Amino acid sequence: MLFQKGPLGPPKVSVAKVQKENLKPSVFGIGTVEARLSYAIGPTQAGRVLTALADQGDRVQVGQVLGDIDPVDIDQRLQSASAAASRAQNAVMVSEAQVRDAVSRNALAQTSAKRYTDLFAAQAISRELTDAKQNEATSAQASLDAARATLAAAQEDFSRASFDRNAVMSQRTNLQLISPSNGIIVSRDAEPGTTVVAGQSVFHLIDPQTLWVRTRIDQSRFYGIMVGQTASIVLRSRPDAPIPGKVVRLEVQGDNVTEERFVNVMFNEVPNIIPLGELAEVTIDLPPVSDALVVPAAAVKRLNKQYGVWIAENGLIHFQPVTVGVQTLDGKVQILEGLKQGESIVTHSPKQLTEGLRVRVEPVL
Amino acid sequence: MINLALKEISHTWVRYVLTAVGLGLLIGVTLTMTGLVRGLMDDAVALVRGTHADLWVVQDETQGPYAENSTLYDDVYRSIAGLPGVADVSNVAYLTVQARHGDTDVRVLIAGFERDHLGEPPFLLAGRPIVKDHYEAIADVKTGFKVGDKIGIRRDEYTVVGLTDRMVSSGGDPVVFITMKDAQIVQFQKDNTSIYNDRNRLAANPQLNRPGVPGLLNAVTENQQLNNKVNAVLVQVAPGYEPAAVADTIRRWKHLQVYTYDQVTQILLVKVIVNALRQLGFFMAILALVSTAIIALIIYTMTMGKIKEIAVLKLIGAKNSTIAGMILQQAWGLGLIGFAVGKAASTLWAPFFPKHIEFMLIDTSVAFVITMIICTLASLVGIRAALKVQPASAIGG
């Protein structure tokens, strides 16, 4: 009897019954709050920051001027280009006058040539005179053509000077830092007077309407997550106030070093104080399963890569292989195959269980 | 024929029983001491045994992860998983910390394990297994934690979701199991001041902080603050393969050090706990000697105290063999009762010790045999004295 009861007896195990329940499985991951749309605004060439008109925390509109880069000689070049354009315009006027002059001369020469030809026909003047006038007419025509061509060239020249001036104008406006979207300035990275190189950012801007939690989910728990599922977000700064959210994107590229995949969970309502960069815990609700055969997670063990449960029969235990389905975060596991409703399975034991071990079953409370 | 021994005792049975109890307590102390030594040895290999791994892969030229520190990249397991004869691989990480609980802290060994792989706690006394990837823990009962307790480890708070037993470090500290990702953060992520310090040092280096290459500083900082190391990789060998052969393959082609289960337990017993074992072993030897001497002395004294009665017995015609038998039986009685008392006492007070005490059948049997031999030998001395007694001395001759 000493070996039946008391501390020298067979180990006591706790059992539970397999039940049918509606399960609400979910997946847990941690992530950081990021903005889907974020912009780094800076110059496209090296320069010195002239003015910075916005600062961290400011709300800005699309098209708003946030600052300027020092134009250096661009204004002078603009003036030079304007002057060149004016000069070209004046050259056009000169050419136009020359054309008018050539037209007039040509008209006279043509009329004279015509008159002299008529006079020669009436044998009133010599051939030499007629030829001379004819020559003058041809010459005047040629001068007119030349003047017209010169006018066309002057006009093209004026166009070119205008375009050159527009180009310098574009360069000038490019030195302005313009906000590409409505949003909030996250940081001001360079103060007026600082030298910045091409591509270096002066302002960081985000669109707070696109705030989401970039959640890391272990690759082995990822299956079943879909866009549109609801989620609960717990920010580290507010651990007692979960915020509802929704899965909006499953990132295509996973992380092969940490063996995780990324799920983007957007806030249903953006919090007033923007928690950019904050750590958050996300629980994603998977589709519920109704009328599932459920066992406590403590009962499911793995033996030689096979999931199973220990069943106590007549004081001996044996391993029953099972196929598992979904798991919930409060420790319930769905059994797809291997068990029936109402069967008793071992949940807790004081030591490692082996096939055929003699045990005592503790009555279920 | 009456049993002389019993008859004699029945007159002074209180003293006899008390003597036996006293003897028993002494035997109990010796048995407990043996149990302590066995417990120490069992503690040393408890964690190793509980993982059910066949091979331990550690950093080359170290005897880790228990005897020495060993660090491996956490993707080394991938190159081992594909080798012939490997059935399962798993990363593990170990670190001793003081876990905060309420106002106190408890010394624990943090064990990081990969869920669904080797290294997971093999059974639960209460609660459930770890379900979330972060911030859940399973603790050994010796920590004193209960299911639902919140404990603080480094910068995070963990919830104890399950309890297990007999999971201790080689030094006897109870183990707390957490997921591998959490264990990597605990082991390798520094405190905030150090992190800021590291970042500032990087930013002060003009080679790494180039304004013309905007992403460079961030990339270098991120690389420096990776937590991608583990302490060892556990391997389960497929059926039909020899662990030693698979170990050789890994050692030769992967240039890592590999220990089989036997080698790891050897390292633990012979190298890690050898000083503690020797310490206790010496004391146990002394205790055994002293116990032996005391038992012998008690029996001898008891016998000598009965010289007068023995003389009377001789006077009334008791044979020498009868008297010798009486003394021997009384000595054996002392030994038997004493041993029973001692075994019961040590079994009763063993659970109150802070560390595990293991009673093995072989130790108990050997102790029993030695006790009976001591009793016999000690009684022989008394018998010799008794046989020499002159019957006449009973009446003052």
Side-chain angles (χ1 to χ4, degrees):
Chain A
M1 217 206 63
L2 195 62
F3 292 96
Q4 297 289 324
K5 313 247 182 252
L8 294 173
K12 281 192 210 162
V13 296
S14 307
V15 294
K17 285 211 188 314
V18 178
Q19 291 176 328
K20 253 202 167 51
E21 271 183 44
N22 295 334
L23 284 185
K24 290 206 186 79
S26 40
V27 179
F28 175 85
I30 59 175
T32 38
V33 178
E34 296 181 3
R36 179 186 200 153
L37 296 176
S38 84
Y39 309 89
I41 297 158
T44 54
Q45 61 206 40
R48 221 180 353 255
V49 177
L50 186 65
T51 60
L53 303 169
D55 205 348
Q56 207 186 96
D58 289 346
R59 288 200 181 251
V60 297
Q61 308 296 319
V62 59
Q64 186 172 334
V65 174
L66 304 176
D68 292 287
I69 303 291
D70 191 351
V72 192
D73 62 349
I74 295 229
D75 283 335
Q76 285 83 350
R77 279 200 265 145
L78 189 57
Q79 282 170 341
S80 161
S82 297
S86 296
R87 195 174 65 84
Q89 200 171 36
N90 288 332
V92 165
M93 291 195 330
V94 164
S95 294
E96 279 171 352
Q98 283 172 346
V99 163
R100 277 196 300 277
D101 178 45
V103 161
S104 168
R105 269 200 232 196
N106 184 45
L108 179 65
Q110 296 302 330
T111 325
S112 293
K114 176 94 182 32
R115 196 170 349 109
Y116 273 68
T117 311
D118 288 343
L119 282 176
F120 180 67
Q123 291 183 349
I125 49 165
S126 66
R127 179 147 199 120
E128 193 189 346
L129 208 52
T130 311
D131 284 344
K133 288 295 172 192
Q134 201 61 39
N135 173 48
E136 272 176 33
T138 313
S139 186
Q141 181 66 45
S143 293
L144 175 59
D145 290 339
R148 287 215 168 102
T150 309
L151 173 62
Q155 280 169 338
E156 294 293 338
D157 214 37
F158 174 57
S159 292
R160 190 179 64 109
S162 296
F163 287 134
D164 277 348
R165 192 199 51 194
N166 289 348
V168 178
M169 196 67 184
S170 297
Q171 286 289 329
R172 182 67 181 81
T173 52
N174 189 37
L175 291 175
Q176 284 191 317
L177 303 172
I178 311 255
S179 172
S181 136
N182 293 342
I184 283 198
I185 305 280
V186 171
S187 67
R188 183 159 120 171
D189 303 319
E191 297 297 322
T194 313
T195 315
V196 290
V197 299
Q200 198 174 340
S201 85
V202 178
F203 292 100
H204 270 103
L205 172 73
I206 60 151
D207 184 353
Q209 295 304 316
T210 66
L211 269 183
W212 63 21
V213 180
R214 188 169 186 241
T215 317
R216 315 178 73 96
I217 304 283
D218 193 76
Q219 287 170 357
S220 61
R221 301 281 182 270
F222 182 76
Y223 184 72
I225 299 181
M226 298 213 279
V227 171
Q229 287 170 347
T230 54
S232 171
I233 303 168
V234 176
L235 292 172
R236 197 180 159 110
S237 58
R238 275 164 279 184
D240 301 321
I243 304 172
K246 208 163 59 151
V247 176
V248 294
R249 188 172 80 177
L250 309 179
E251 287 193 22
V252 175
Q253 174 77 49
D255 188 335
N256 77 325
V257 173
T258 61
E259 295 170 15
E260 291 169 321
R261 297 199 62 174
F262 297 100
V263 174
N264 302 123
V265 178
M266 203 167 249
F267 294 94
N268 283 354
E269 248 183 64
V270 179
N272 279 338
I273 304 174
I274 308 245
L276 195 64
E278 194 166 319
L279 205 68
E281 294 178 6
V282 176
T283 312
I284 301 172
D285 304 316
L286 296 179
V289 179
S290 51
D291 272 350
L293 278 177
V294 166
V295 300
V300 179
K301 304 280 182 224
R302 246 171 84 97
L303 225 62
N304 295 326
K305 292 198 170 179
Q306 167 70 50
Y307 282 113
V309 297
W310 293 103
I311 298 189
E313 264 175 61
N314 303 323
L316 295 171
I317 50 159
H318 80 96
F319 191 70
Q320 169 66 36
V322 295
T323 324
V324 297
V326 299
Q327 275 203 26
T328 67
L329 289 180
D330 55 2
K332 300 201 183 102
V333 176
Q334 177 191 22
I335 299 289
L336 295 171
E337 267 171 29
L339 290 176
K340 295 188 293 294
Q341 186 177 6
E343 276 191 77
S344 270
I345 52 175
V346 176
T347 51
H348 301 129
S349 60
K351 55 187 265 200
Q352 177 87 43
L353 298 175
T354 47
E355 186 76 28
L357 189 70
R358 192 163 281 281
V359 294
R360 275 176 294 166
V361 172
E362 284 222 327
V364 181
L365 285 159
Chain B
M1 186 64 190
I2 57 165
N3 184 311
L4 197 58
L6 282 175
K7 203 82 173 129
E8 204 276 325
I9 288 168
S10 62
H11 293 297
T12 52
W13 67 272
V14 174
R15 194 173 57 179
Y16 186 76
V17 167
L18 283 176
T19 313
V21 168
L23 216 66
L25 288 175
L26 189 63
I27 296 174
V29 167
T30 313
L31 282 175
T32 308
M33 197 65 219
T34 319
L36 262 161
V37 173
R38 289 284 187 200
L40 196 70
M41 291 167 66
D42 196 61
D43 271 359
V45 298
L47 191 56
V48 163
R49 202 176 44 218
T51 56
H52 300 289
D54 298 310
L55 299 176
W56 269 253
V57 181
V58 296
Q59 189 179 349
D60 205 8
E61 296 180 22
T62 67
Q63 295 186 43
Y66 304 108
E68 285 181 317
N69 213 11
S70 146
T71 310
L72 298 169
Y73 279 109
D74 64 1
D75 53 7
V76 164
Y77 81 91
R78 295 179 198 174
S79 57
I80 298 174
L83 292 174
V86 171
D88 197 11
V89 286
S90 181
N91 284 328
V92 286
Y94 298 116
L95 179 69
T96 306
V97 299
Q98 300 288 132
R100 303 183 299 276
H101 179 229
D103 294 325
T104 61
D105 42 73
V106 178
R107 188 176 175 79
V108 298
L109 178 76
I110 302 287
F113 71 98
E114 304 268 18
R115 283 190 291 157
D116 305 329
H117 288 283
L118 302 169
E120 200 164 354
F123 64 91
L124 288 174
L125 278 181
R128 60 166 173 82
I130 291 179
V131 176
K132 289 189 192 175
D133 270 337
H134 289 277
Y135 311 137
E136 288 190 344
I138 293 179
D140 185 272
V141 282
K142 283 216 156 46
T143 52
F145 301 145
K146 305 271 177 291
V147 174
D149 277 353
K150 295 228 191 284
I151 55 177
I153 300 172
R154 289 281 157 88
R155 58 170 71 223
D156 291 311
E157 200 179 63
Y158 293 78
T159 310
V160 177
V161 297
L163 295 176
T164 186
D165 197 9
R166 291 304 296 132
M167 282 290 154
V168 287
S169 74
S170 57
D173 302 318
V175 178
V176 170
F177 291 90
I178 57 179
T179 58
M180 176 52 76
K181 289 196 189 49
D182 282 338
Q184 283 176 313
I185 291 173
V186 169
Q187 190 170 147
F188 296 111
Q189 193 181 53
K190 301 183 194 168
D191 60 288
N192 287 344
T193 309
S194 300
I195 292 178
Y196 282 129
N197 208 342
D198 287 339
R199 277 194 205 149
N200 286 341
R201 280 168 200 255
L202 278 177
N205 184 342
Q207 302 277 47
L208 299 172
N209 187 8
R210 295 202 195 154
V213 189
L216 181 60
L217 181 63
N218 276 349
V220 177
T221 308
E222 234 182 78
N223 190 43
Q224 195 194 56
Q225 290 173 349
L226 281 178
N227 304 318
N228 59 351
K229 302 260 173 56
V230 296
N231 297 120
V233 177
L234 302 180
V235 175
Q236 197 174 52
V237 171
Y241 285 87
E242 272 296 314
V246 179
D248 268 335
T249 313
I250 300 173
R251 240 179 250 128
R252 186 171 172 199
W253 298 114
K254 299 296 169 193
H255 310 295
L256 298 164
Q257 182 57 275
V258 186
Y259 295 111
T260 61
Y261 178 77
D262 294 327
Q263 285 170 328
V264 173
T265 48
Q266 262 314 97
I267 290 174
L268 280 165
L269 290 172
V270 171
K271 299 197 186 179
V272 176
I273 62 164
V274 64
N275 284 336
L277 267 181
R278 281 211 192 116
Q279 184 93 336
L280 285 182
F282 275 130
F283 183 69
M284 193 179 81
I286 293 171
L287 186 62
L289 276 172
V290 168
S291 304
T292 309
I294 293 175
I295 293 172
L297 192 64
I298 288 176
I299 291 178
Y300 177 70
T301 313
M302 187 184 74
T303 312
M304 295 315 288
K306 299 194 182 114
I307 286 296
K308 197 109 175 127
E309 285 86 344
I310 290 170
V312 169
L313 281 169
K314 275 197 163 176
L315 197 60
I316 61 172
K319 287 205 287 281
N320 275 350
S321 61
T322 316
I323 294 172
M326 175 189 88
I327 296 170
L328 198 59
Q329 280 167 23
Q330 282 186 352
W332 280 350
L334 264 186
L336 280 170
I337 298 173
F339 192 82
V341 167
K343 186 77 187 81
S346 57
T347 309
L348 280 172
W349 65 43
F352 293 96
F353 278 70
K355 290 222 244 181
H356 181 66
I357 295 187
E358 176 108 355
F359 295 115
M360 293 182 70
L361 193 60
I362 175 111
D363 297 332
T364 315
S365 315
V366 166
F368 181 69
V369 166
I370 292 177
T371 308
M372 297 319 280
I373 290 174
I374 302 296
C375 291
T376 311
L377 288 174
S379 68
L380 283 177
V381 179
I383 288 170
R384 219 175 128 240
L387 292 179
K388 280 209 222 131
V389 163
Q390 295 297 326
S393 63
I395 43 176

